[in-house]
Amino acid sequence: MKYDSIIFDLDGTLWDSTHSCVEAWNQCYEKFKVSDRITHQQMSSTMGMDAKTLKQHLFATWPEEKADAFLEASLKEVVRTLRLRPGVLYPYVEDGLAALASMFPLYIVSNCQKGYIEVFLEQTGLGELFQDFESFGNTGQPKFQNIQRVINRNDLNLPIYIGDTMGDYMAASKINLPFAHVTYGFGYVEPNVPKFTNFDHLVDYLVENRFV
């Protein structure tokens, strides 16, 4: 297939922010006087979930008001913490995105909270490389609808979505969008799609399949 634009997932695809997310969440547990603590492994298993799914996954037994208050506080604390201690870009992502941006318009669609993508762009210095972005935090809508929003408002013709989880694959599939899986991220994708163990191989594939 040939592509003329690229839409990226964020967590597990472009960077790993789990260390700062764990720190932020555990600070909120302390503030709420809850004895629970989240581990790095637990946090990794939730990366890619939207706020609604996070609530169901982690706080199903909590009173609803307490769950809502904690989730709102923790998501805001994550953004604040990332301004101080940003996530870590995966190898070759910075150079690879710069190379791709010279040939394709680039976009981001993530299930993250409002302000999260903005922090990523600011703290990594990669903001100039992306044309647009969307998130669950901005719209309250599922990922496939947010991908479609970006496609529609930017008049994209042959985009591909790049992600690391089955949820990413399913979102792309719902709107018949080509998908590529970066296997170094947080999830496993069973269907037979293009798979890449590192970002530089992904870049080579996209350049080779650029629609000109």
mmCIF file of all heavy atoms in Angstrom, residues 11 21 25 29 38 42-62 67-68 70-72 74-75 78 111-113 136:
data_model
loop_
_atom_site.group_PDB
_atom_site.id
_atom_site.type_symbol
_atom_site.label_atom_id
_atom_site.label_comp_id
_atom_site.label_asym_id
_atom_site.label_seq_id
_atom_site.Cartn_x
_atom_site.Cartn_y
_atom_site.Cartn_z
ATOM 1 N N ASP A 11 1.784 7.104 23.518
ATOM 2 C CA ASP A 11 2.418 6.233 24.514
ATOM 3 C C ASP A 11 2.693 4.853 23.935
ATOM 4 O O ASP A 11 1.812 4.221 23.347
ATOM 5 C CB ASP A 11 1.516 6.093 25.745
ATOM 6 C CG ASP A 11 1.411 7.383 26.532
ATOM 7 O OD1 ASP A 11 2.460 8.014 26.763
ATOM 8 O OD2 ASP A 11 0.289 7.764 26.916
ATOM 9 N N CYS A 21 4.424 8.867 35.183
ATOM 10 C CA CYS A 21 3.012 8.583 35.475
ATOM 11 C C CYS A 21 2.869 7.859 36.813
ATOM 12 O O CYS A 21 1.973 8.172 37.604
ATOM 13 C CB CYS A 21 2.396 7.754 34.359
ATOM 14 S SG CYS A 21 2.175 8.639 32.798
ATOM 15 N N TRP A 25 0.754 9.351 39.939
ATOM 16 C CA TRP A 25 -0.375 8.614 40.510
ATOM 17 C C TRP A 25 -0.145 8.311 41.989
ATOM 18 O O TRP A 25 -1.062 8.443 42.808
ATOM 19 C CB TRP A 25 -0.597 7.314 39.728
ATOM 20 C CG TRP A 25 -1.418 7.510 38.493
ATOM 21 C CD1 TRP A 25 -1.095 8.281 37.415
ATOM 22 C CD2 TRP A 25 -2.691 6.942 38.226
ATOM 23 N NE1 TRP A 25 -2.082 8.211 36.472
ATOM 24 C CE2 TRP A 25 -3.075 7.391 36.940
ATOM 25 C CE3 TRP A 25 -3.528 6.083 38.913
ATOM 26 C CZ2 TRP A 25 -4.282 7.022 36.358
ATOM 27 C CZ3 TRP A 25 -4.729 5.704 38.330
ATOM 28 C CH2 TRP A 25 -5.097 6.180 37.067
ATOM 29 N N TYR A 29 -2.352 9.103 45.365
ATOM 30 C CA TYR A 29 -2.788 8.141 46.377
ATOM 31 C C TYR A 29 -2.489 8.691 47.776
ATOM 32 O O TYR A 29 -3.310 8.565 48.690
ATOM 33 C CB TYR A 29 -2.084 6.803 46.177
ATOM 34 C CG TYR A 29 -2.715 5.913 45.127
ATOM 35 C CD1 TYR A 29 -1.976 5.431 44.045
ATOM 36 C CD2 TYR A 29 -4.050 5.525 45.230
ATOM 37 C CE1 TYR A 29 -2.542 4.604 43.097
ATOM 38 C CE2 TYR A 29 -4.628 4.703 44.273
ATOM 39 C CZ TYR A 29 -3.870 4.244 43.204
ATOM 40 O OH TYR A 29 -4.447 3.424 42.263
ATOM 41 N N ILE A 38 0.455 2.259 42.782
ATOM 42 C CA ILE A 38 0.509 1.628 41.472
ATOM 43 C C ILE A 38 1.955 1.329 41.116
ATOM 44 O O ILE A 38 2.856 2.137 41.378
ATOM 45 C CB ILE A 38 -0.163 2.508 40.396
ATOM 46 C CG1 ILE A 38 -0.426 1.693 39.127
ATOM 47 C CG2 ILE A 38 0.664 3.751 40.098
ATOM 48 C CD1 ILE A 38 -1.387 2.366 38.161
ATOM 49 N N GLN A 42 1.879 -2.315 36.523
ATOM 50 C CA GLN A 42 0.454 -1.994 36.449
ATOM 51 C C GLN A 42 0.203 -0.792 35.560
ATOM 52 O O GLN A 42 -0.743 -0.771 34.765
ATOM 53 C CB GLN A 42 -0.089 -1.748 37.853
ATOM 54 C CG GLN A 42 -0.191 -2.991 38.718
ATOM 55 C CD GLN A 42 -0.512 -2.658 40.174
ATOM 56 O OE1 GLN A 42 -0.087 -1.618 40.694
ATOM 57 N NE2 GLN A 42 -1.266 -3.528 40.827
ATOM 58 N N MET A 43 1.051 0.229 35.690
ATOM 59 C CA MET A 43 0.893 1.414 34.863
ATOM 60 C C MET A 43 1.073 1.073 33.395
ATOM 61 O O MET A 43 0.306 1.528 32.533
ATOM 62 C CB MET A 43 1.894 2.488 35.290
ATOM 63 C CG MET A 43 1.797 3.789 34.491
ATOM 64 S SD MET A 43 0.169 4.588 34.613
ATOM 65 C CE MET A 43 0.191 5.133 36.322
ATOM 66 N N SER A 44 2.066 0.244 33.093
ATOM 67 C CA SER A 44 2.307 -0.150 31.701
ATOM 68 C C SER A 44 1.089 -0.842 31.101
ATOM 69 O O SER A 44 0.774 -0.658 29.922
ATOM 70 C CB SER A 44 3.523 -1.078 31.617
ATOM 71 O OG SER A 44 4.704 -0.399 32.010
ATOM 72 N N SER A 45 0.392 -1.620 31.930
ATOM 73 C CA SER A 45 -0.769 -2.362 31.430
ATOM 74 C C SER A 45 -1.955 -1.453 31.138
ATOM 75 O O SER A 45 -2.888 -1.858 30.439
ATOM 76 C CB SER A 45 -1.183 -3.437 32.433
ATOM 77 O OG SER A 45 -1.771 -2.864 33.587
ATOM 78 N N THR A 46 -1.938 -0.234 31.670
ATOM 79 C CA THR A 46 -3.052 0.692 31.441
ATOM 80 C C THR A 46 -2.750 1.713 30.353
ATOM 81 O O THR A 46 -3.659 2.433 29.931
ATOM 82 C CB THR A 46 -3.410 1.464 32.728
ATOM 83 O OG1 THR A 46 -2.343 2.378 33.055
ATOM 84 C CG2 THR A 46 -3.640 0.518 33.887
ATOM 85 N N MET A 47 -1.511 1.777 29.909
ATOM 86 C CA MET A 47 -1.163 2.777 28.903
ATOM 87 C C MET A 47 -1.967 2.537 27.634
ATOM 88 O O MET A 47 -2.065 1.414 27.138
ATOM 89 C CB MET A 47 0.336 2.741 28.595
ATOM 90 C CG MET A 47 1.215 3.025 29.798
ATOM 91 S SD MET A 47 0.901 4.605 30.606
ATOM 92 C CE MET A 47 1.918 5.703 29.623
ATOM 93 N N GLY A 48 -2.575 3.589 27.131
ATOM 94 C CA GLY A 48 -3.424 3.472 25.948
ATOM 95 C C GLY A 48 -4.903 3.474 26.276
ATOM 96 O O GLY A 48 -5.734 3.614 25.380
ATOM 97 N N MET A 49 -5.257 3.305 27.557
ATOM 98 C CA MET A 49 -6.662 3.354 27.950
ATOM 99 C C MET A 49 -7.128 4.799 28.067
ATOM 100 O O MET A 49 -6.390 5.657 28.527
ATOM 101 C CB MET A 49 -6.868 2.670 29.301
ATOM 102 C CG MET A 49 -6.615 1.187 29.308
ATOM 103 S SD MET A 49 -6.974 0.486 30.958
ATOM 104 C CE MET A 49 -6.515 -1.233 30.684
ATOM 105 N N ASP A 50 -8.373 5.047 27.667
ATOM 106 C CA ASP A 50 -8.939 6.376 27.904
ATOM 107 C C ASP A 50 -9.423 6.463 29.352
ATOM 108 O O ASP A 50 -9.444 5.466 30.085
ATOM 109 C CB ASP A 50 -10.064 6.685 26.912
ATOM 110 C CG ASP A 50 -11.218 5.698 26.983
ATOM 111 O OD1 ASP A 50 -11.670 5.362 28.095
ATOM 112 O OD2 ASP A 50 -11.677 5.249 25.916
ATOM 113 N N ALA A 51 -9.798 7.659 29.783
ATOM 114 C CA ALA A 51 -10.157 7.877 31.188
ATOM 115 C C ALA A 51 -11.342 7.021 31.613
ATOM 116 O O ALA A 51 -11.377 6.502 32.741
ATOM 117 C CB ALA A 51 -10.462 9.358 31.417
ATOM 118 N N LYS A 52 -12.311 6.843 30.739
ATOM 119 C CA LYS A 52 -13.488 6.033 31.063
ATOM 120 C C LYS A 52 -13.086 4.584 31.317
ATOM 121 O O LYS A 52 -13.542 3.959 32.285
ATOM 122 C CB LYS A 52 -14.499 6.111 29.920
ATOM 123 C CG LYS A 52 -15.770 5.324 30.168
ATOM 124 C CD LYS A 52 -16.736 5.479 28.996
ATOM 125 C CE LYS A 52 -18.008 4.670 29.213
ATOM 126 N NZ LYS A 52 -18.953 4.815 28.068
ATOM 127 N N THR A 53 -12.214 4.048 30.486
ATOM 128 C CA THR A 53 -11.764 2.669 30.642
ATOM 129 C C THR A 53 -10.879 2.530 31.872
ATOM 130 O O THR A 53 -10.940 1.523 32.587
ATOM 131 C CB THR A 53 -11.008 2.209 29.386
ATOM 132 O OG1 THR A 53 -11.828 2.434 28.233
ATOM 133 C CG2 THR A 53 -10.652 0.731 29.467
ATOM 134 N N LEU A 54 -10.037 3.529 32.121
ATOM 135 C CA LEU A 54 -9.199 3.516 33.324
ATOM 136 C C LEU A 54 -10.041 3.419 34.584
ATOM 137 O O LEU A 54 -9.735 2.649 35.502
ATOM 138 C CB LEU A 54 -8.354 4.793 33.384
ATOM 139 C CG LEU A 54 -6.975 4.793 32.753
ATOM 140 C CD1 LEU A 54 -6.382 6.193 32.829
ATOM 141 C CD2 LEU A 54 -6.064 3.782 33.412
ATOM 142 N N LYS A 55 -11.096 4.184 34.626
ATOM 143 C CA LYS A 55 -11.987 4.174 35.789
ATOM 144 C C LYS A 55 -12.576 2.789 36.004
ATOM 145 O O LYS A 55 -12.600 2.265 37.122
ATOM 146 C CB LYS A 55 -13.084 5.206 35.600
ATOM 147 C CG LYS A 55 -14.080 5.277 36.748
ATOM 148 C CD LYS A 55 -15.167 6.303 36.459
ATOM 149 C CE LYS A 55 -16.263 6.264 37.501
ATOM 150 N NZ LYS A 55 -17.350 7.217 37.194
ATOM 151 N N GLN A 56 -13.027 2.160 34.943
ATOM 152 C CA GLN A 56 -13.617 0.830 35.038
ATOM 153 C C GLN A 56 -12.573 -0.216 35.420
ATOM 154 O O GLN A 56 -12.856 -1.150 36.172
ATOM 155 C CB GLN A 56 -14.263 0.451 33.692
ATOM 156 C CG GLN A 56 -15.441 1.331 33.309
ATOM 157 C CD GLN A 56 -15.888 1.106 31.880
ATOM 158 O OE1 GLN A 56 -15.169 0.527 31.058
ATOM 159 N NE2 GLN A 56 -17.088 1.578 31.562
ATOM 160 N N HIS A 57 -11.358 -0.030 34.937
ATOM 161 C CA HIS A 57 -10.296 -1.016 35.134
ATOM 162 C C HIS A 57 -9.700 -0.945 36.536
ATOM 163 O O HIS A 57 -9.415 -1.984 37.147
ATOM 164 C CB HIS A 57 -9.198 -0.790 34.091
ATOM 165 C CG HIS A 57 -8.091 -1.789 34.136
ATOM 166 N ND1 HIS A 57 -8.235 -3.081 33.701
ATOM 167 C CD2 HIS A 57 -6.804 -1.684 34.570
ATOM 168 C CE1 HIS A 57 -7.101 -3.734 33.864
ATOM 169 N NE2 HIS A 57 -6.212 -2.906 34.384
ATOM 170 N N LEU A 58 -9.519 0.262 37.062
ATOM 171 C CA LEU A 58 -8.789 0.431 38.315
ATOM 172 C C LEU A 58 -9.665 0.755 39.520
ATOM 173 O O LEU A 58 -9.270 0.498 40.659
ATOM 174 C CB LEU A 58 -7.744 1.547 38.153
ATOM 175 C CG LEU A 58 -6.607 1.266 37.183
ATOM 176 C CD1 LEU A 58 -5.726 2.501 37.050
ATOM 177 C CD2 LEU A 58 -5.782 0.073 37.619
ATOM 178 N N PHE A 59 -10.834 1.331 39.273
ATOM 179 C CA PHE A 59 -11.617 1.843 40.402
ATOM 180 C C PHE A 59 -13.044 1.315 40.426
ATOM 181 O O PHE A 59 -13.960 1.991 40.887
ATOM 182 C CB PHE A 59 -11.629 3.377 40.366
ATOM 183 C CG PHE A 59 -10.266 3.985 40.218
ATOM 184 C CD1 PHE A 59 -9.933 4.714 39.093
ATOM 185 C CD2 PHE A 59 -9.299 3.801 41.194
ATOM 186 C CE1 PHE A 59 -8.673 5.263 38.947
ATOM 187 C CE2 PHE A 59 -8.038 4.356 41.062
ATOM 188 C CZ PHE A 59 -7.720 5.084 39.936
ATOM 189 N N ALA A 60 -13.232 0.117 39.936
ATOM 190 C CA ALA A 60 -14.578 -0.452 39.855
ATOM 191 C C ALA A 60 -15.234 -0.592 41.225
ATOM 192 O O ALA A 60 -16.459 -0.522 41.349
ATOM 193 C CB ALA A 60 -14.530 -1.808 39.153
ATOM 194 N N THR A 61 -14.425 -0.786 42.270
ATOM 195 C CA THR A 61 -14.976 -0.987 43.621
ATOM 196 C C THR A 61 -15.044 0.301 44.443
ATOM 197 O O THR A 61 -15.514 0.281 45.571
ATOM 198 C CB THR A 61 -14.135 -2.031 44.385
ATOM 199 O OG1 THR A 61 -12.798 -1.536 44.531
ATOM 200 C CG2 THR A 61 -14.114 -3.355 43.639
ATOM 201 N N TRP A 62 -14.564 1.413 43.871
ATOM 202 C CA TRP A 62 -14.574 2.678 44.605
ATOM 203 C C TRP A 62 -15.950 3.341 44.461
ATOM 204 O O TRP A 62 -16.628 3.168 43.443
ATOM 205 C CB TRP A 62 -13.533 3.630 44.030
ATOM 206 C CG TRP A 62 -12.115 3.312 44.359
ATOM 207 C CD1 TRP A 62 -11.569 2.080 44.558
ATOM 208 C CD2 TRP A 62 -11.042 4.253 44.481
ATOM 209 N NE1 TRP A 62 -10.213 2.188 44.793
ATOM 210 C CE2 TRP A 62 -9.870 3.507 44.764
ATOM 211 C CE3 TRP A 62 -10.954 5.635 44.383
ATOM 212 C CZ2 TRP A 62 -8.633 4.117 44.944
ATOM 213 C CZ3 TRP A 62 -9.731 6.246 44.556
ATOM 214 C CH2 TRP A 62 -8.581 5.487 44.852
ATOM 215 N N ALA A 67 -13.896 7.928 42.890
ATOM 216 C CA ALA A 67 -13.166 7.490 41.696
ATOM 217 C C ALA A 67 -13.007 8.639 40.711
ATOM 218 O O ALA A 67 -11.923 8.852 40.150
ATOM 219 C CB ALA A 67 -13.881 6.315 41.044
ATOM 220 N N ASP A 68 -14.085 9.396 40.502
ATOM 221 C CA ASP A 68 -14.027 10.519 39.563
ATOM 222 C C ASP A 68 -13.042 11.585 40.038
ATOM 223 O O ASP A 68 -12.257 12.118 39.245
ATOM 224 C CB ASP A 68 -15.412 11.141 39.397
ATOM 225 C CG ASP A 68 -16.363 10.260 38.602
ATOM 226 O OD1 ASP A 68 -15.885 9.366 37.895
ATOM 227 O OD2 ASP A 68 -17.585 10.475 38.713
ATOM 228 N N PHE A 70 -10.478 11.224 42.128
ATOM 229 C CA PHE A 70 -9.104 10.739 42.085
ATOM 230 C C PHE A 70 -8.581 10.726 40.657
ATOM 231 O O PHE A 70 -7.444 11.140 40.396
ATOM 232 C CB PHE A 70 -9.001 9.339 42.681
ATOM 233 C CG PHE A 70 -7.608 8.780 42.636
ATOM 234 C CD1 PHE A 70 -6.705 9.047 43.655
ATOM 235 C CD2 PHE A 70 -7.180 8.012 41.560
ATOM 236 C CE1 PHE A 70 -5.409 8.563 43.605
ATOM 237 C CE2 PHE A 70 -5.886 7.520 41.504
ATOM 238 C CZ PHE A 70 -4.997 7.793 42.531
ATOM 239 N N LEU A 71 -9.401 10.246 39.734
ATOM 240 C CA LEU A 71 -8.953 10.158 38.346
ATOM 241 C C LEU A 71 -8.669 11.543 37.778
ATOM 242 O O LEU A 71 -7.647 11.751 37.118
ATOM 243 C CB LEU A 71 -10.004 9.439 37.510
ATOM 244 C CG LEU A 71 -9.612 9.079 36.071
ATOM 245 C CD1 LEU A 71 -8.349 8.223 36.057
ATOM 246 C CD2 LEU A 71 -10.749 8.365 35.376
ATOM 247 N N GLU A 72 -9.538 12.495 38.053
ATOM 248 C CA GLU A 72 -9.317 13.857 37.570
ATOM 249 C C GLU A 72 -8.019 14.430 38.140
ATOM 250 O O GLU A 72 -7.211 15.031 37.419
ATOM 251 C CB GLU A 72 -10.488 14.755 37.958
ATOM 252 C CG GLU A 72 -10.332 16.187 37.473
ATOM 253 C CD GLU A 72 -11.498 17.080 37.860
ATOM 254 O OE1 GLU A 72 -12.436 16.573 38.509
ATOM 255 O OE2 GLU A 72 -11.465 18.275 37.522
ATOM 256 N N SER A 74 -5.387 12.766 39.351
ATOM 257 C CA SER A 74 -4.196 12.038 38.912
ATOM 258 C C SER A 74 -3.823 12.385 37.476
ATOM 259 O O SER A 74 -2.640 12.512 37.150
ATOM 260 C CB SER A 74 -4.405 10.533 39.064
ATOM 261 O OG SER A 74 -5.466 10.079 38.253
ATOM 262 N N LEU A 75 -4.816 12.552 36.617
ATOM 263 C CA LEU A 75 -4.520 12.902 35.233
ATOM 264 C C LEU A 75 -3.906 14.300 35.135
ATOM 265 O O LEU A 75 -2.988 14.539 34.339
ATOM 266 C CB LEU A 75 -5.788 12.811 34.385
ATOM 267 C CG LEU A 75 -6.377 11.400 34.221
ATOM 268 C CD1 LEU A 75 -7.646 11.439 33.389
ATOM 269 C CD2 LEU A 75 -5.360 10.446 33.601
ATOM 270 N N VAL A 78 -0.301 14.037 36.356
ATOM 271 C CA VAL A 78 0.586 13.469 35.336
ATOM 272 C C VAL A 78 1.112 14.568 34.424
ATOM 273 O O VAL A 78 2.315 14.640 34.136
ATOM 274 C CB VAL A 78 -0.151 12.384 34.516
ATOM 275 C CG1 VAL A 78 0.611 12.068 33.228
ATOM 276 C CG2 VAL A 78 -0.314 11.107 35.329
ATOM 277 N N ASN A 111 -5.419 8.392 23.323
ATOM 278 C CA ASN A 111 -6.491 8.320 24.316
ATOM 279 C C ASN A 111 -6.170 9.111 25.587
ATOM 280 O O ASN A 111 -6.849 8.971 26.595
ATOM 281 C CB ASN A 111 -6.773 6.864 24.702
ATOM 282 C CG ASN A 111 -7.735 6.198 23.740
ATOM 283 O OD1 ASN A 111 -8.525 6.857 23.082
ATOM 284 N ND2 ASN A 111 -7.672 4.879 23.657
ATOM 285 N N CYS A 112 -5.146 9.921 25.548
ATOM 286 C CA CYS A 112 -4.671 10.610 26.741
ATOM 287 C C CYS A 112 -5.587 11.750 27.157
ATOM 288 O O CYS A 112 -6.536 12.119 26.458
ATOM 289 C CB CYS A 112 -3.264 11.154 26.495
ATOM 290 S SG CYS A 112 -3.201 12.366 25.154
ATOM 291 N N GLN A 113 -5.272 12.340 28.320
ATOM 292 C CA GLN A 113 -6.019 13.470 28.854
ATOM 293 C C GLN A 113 -5.631 14.770 28.148
ATOM 294 O O GLN A 113 -4.610 14.853 27.468
ATOM 295 C CB GLN A 113 -5.776 13.606 30.362
ATOM 296 C CG GLN A 113 -4.327 13.873 30.755
ATOM 297 C CD GLN A 113 -3.540 12.606 31.005
ATOM 298 O OE1 GLN A 113 -3.608 11.662 30.238
ATOM 299 N NE2 GLN A 113 -2.785 12.607 32.102
ATOM 300 N N PHE A 136 -8.708 11.863 23.513
ATOM 301 C CA PHE A 136 -9.929 11.590 24.258
ATOM 302 C C PHE A 136 -10.220 12.726 25.233
ATOM 303 O O PHE A 136 -11.377 13.110 25.420
ATOM 304 C CB PHE A 136 -9.790 10.266 25.016
ATOM 305 C CG PHE A 136 -10.989 9.932 25.866
ATOM 306 C CD1 PHE A 136 -12.067 9.253 25.324
ATOM 307 C CD2 PHE A 136 -11.043 10.295 27.210
ATOM 308 C CE1 PHE A 136 -13.189 8.949 26.101
ATOM 309 C CE2 PHE A 136 -12.154 9.998 27.997
ATOM 310 C CZ PHE A 136 -13.230 9.320 27.434
#
